[in-house]
């Protein structure tokens, strides 16, 4: 069963029109609901792909982890729009016409949604996002997309700086927020996103460019 939300609790979610199924945990559920432009949609949240209603018009897999089994389950919903939270795994590797979305914690709730699609899928985007009421930005189908790649690199450099004994975590966080007007310092951001996600992305990027070589201290904190 797919529990519906109380329309009085979330007045912008109208329980009529297209059905949107969202696979999410509590944290991502709240970020999804923070996007104030979801209109005229029957939105429900589920815990797994198996729980997605068969008649869903749009599917969001915000808990996506790449595996052949996961891809096969989601493929059943095509050619309907299937959004996957795949910041590190590219469509070139996944080899299915899903829509990649940057839904790492703190990124999903932004006013502009960062996505990557195969060329053949671009034509459906204006209609899909008009129905959602969301603004979007197309980015290349590459590891880390754009904003996550930049944020990950900043976090990695902060760990290099900490490792060299230049400053403390709190001082670096404060300096970055004051100096760049970022919403979080790099260490605060890494806690919200999850160090393992960042380490995985940086490791794959480092296979193409040594500039992304992962800080030893960052890796050690994951092990600890």
């Amino acid at each position: 069963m797919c529990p519906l939300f109380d329309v009085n609790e979330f007045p912008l979610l109208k329980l009529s029109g297209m059905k949107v199924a969202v696979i999410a945990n509590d944290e991502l559920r709240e970020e999804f609901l923070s996007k104030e432009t979801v209109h005229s949609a029957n939105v429900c949240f589920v815990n797994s792909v198996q729980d997605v209603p068969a008649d869903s018009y749009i599917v969001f897999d915000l808990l996506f982890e790449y595996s052949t089994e996961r891809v096969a389950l989601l493929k059943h919903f095509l050619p309907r729009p299937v959004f996957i939270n795949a910041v590190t795994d590219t469509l070139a590797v996944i080899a299915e016409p899903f829509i990649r979305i940057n839904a790492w914690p703190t990124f999903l709730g932004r006013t502009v949604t960062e996505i990557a699609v195969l060329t053949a899928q671009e034509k459906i985007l204006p209609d899909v996002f008009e129905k959602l009421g969301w603004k979007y930005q197309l980015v290349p189908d590459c590891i880390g997309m754009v904003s996550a790649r930049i944020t990950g690199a900043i976090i990695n450099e902060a760990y290099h700086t900490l490792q060299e004994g230049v400053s403390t975590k709190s001082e670096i966080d404060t300096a970055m927020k004051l100096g760049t007007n970022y919403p979080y310092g790099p260490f605060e951001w890494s806690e919200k996103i999850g160090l393992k996600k960042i380490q995985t992305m940086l490791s794959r990027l480092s296979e193409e460019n040594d500039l992304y070589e992962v800080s030893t201290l960052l890796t050690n904190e994951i092990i600890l």
Side-chain angles (χ1 to χ4, degrees):
M1 293 294 293
C2 181
L4 298 177
F5 290 98
D6 185 343
V7 71
N8 296 314
E9 181 182 1
F10 304 110
L12 291 176
L13 294 179
K14 304 180 186 300
L15 304 183
S16 61
M18 66 179 180
K19 181 176 288 184
V20 179
V22 185
I23 306 165
N25 55 24
D26 290 343
E27 181 181 17
L28 291 175
R29 165 186 174 274
E30 292 305 315
E31 274 204 66
F32 189 95
L33 291 171
S34 75
K35 296 179 75 66
E36 297 179 353
T37 50
V38 182
H39 298 291
S40 301
N42 177 346
V43 179
C44 64
F45 289 77
V46 296
N47 297 318
S48 68
V49 181
Q50 290 88 342
D51 294 328
V52 173
D55 60 345
S56 298
Y57 177 80
I58 296 175
V59 177
F60 283 86
D61 187 356
L62 302 184
L63 301 181
F64 179 82
E65 291 186 9
Y66 177 55
S67 70
T68 54
E69 180 182 5
R70 188 83 168 199
V71 169
L73 289 171
L74 291 170
K75 186 177 178 180
H76 287 297
F77 296 101
L78 296 172
R80 288 166 285 179
V82 177
F83 289 80
I84 56 172
N85 181 11
V87 174
T88 301
D89 297 301
T90 66
L91 295 172
V93 172
I94 296 170
E96 293 294 344
F98 300 144
I99 301 171
R100 284 178 67 202
I101 181 174
N102 179 358
W104 272 4
T106 75
F107 290 94
L108 177 61
R110 292 179 171 184
T111 56
V112 178
T113 303
E114 184 179 359
I115 64 168
V117 296
L118 300 176
T119 303
Q121 289 292 87
E122 289 186 22
K123 61 186 179 184
I124 73 169
L125 296 180
D127 181 62
V128 171
F129 279 88
E130 181 180 357
K131 285 183 169 63
L132 288 170
W134 291 6
K135 297 178 181 179
Y136 69 95
Q137 177 63 55
L138 273 173
V139 299
D141 181 36
C142 61
I143 297 170
M145 305 176 86
V146 174
S147 55
R149 179 190 291 240
I150 293 170
T151 303
I154 290 170
I155 290 169
N156 197 38
E157 285 304 313
Y159 270 94
H160 283 304
T161 301
L162 181 65
Q163 188 170 335
E164 293 168 4
V166 174
S167 192
T168 66
K169 283 186 176 182
S170 61
E171 289 171 344
I172 294 171
D173 276 345
T174 299
M176 287 296 293
K177 285 189 288 188
L178 292 176
T180 63
N181 201 32
Y182 286 164
Y184 311 103
F187 298 105
E188 291 175 315
W189 223 336
S190 69
E191 289 178 7
K192 290 180 177 295
I193 295 170
L195 270 183
K196 183 59 180 175
K197 291 186 180 73
I198 296 165
Q199 192 263 356
T200 299
M201 179 188 69
L202 291 171
S203 294
R204 296 190 188 178
L205 287 170
S206 68
E207 295 173 4
E208 304 172 357
N209 190 329
D210 291 341
L211 292 175
Y212 293 100
E213 184 176 353
V214 187
S215 160
T216 302
L217 184 58
L218 188 157
T219 300
N220 288 344
E221 281 203 5
I222 295 173
I223 295 173
L224 295 173

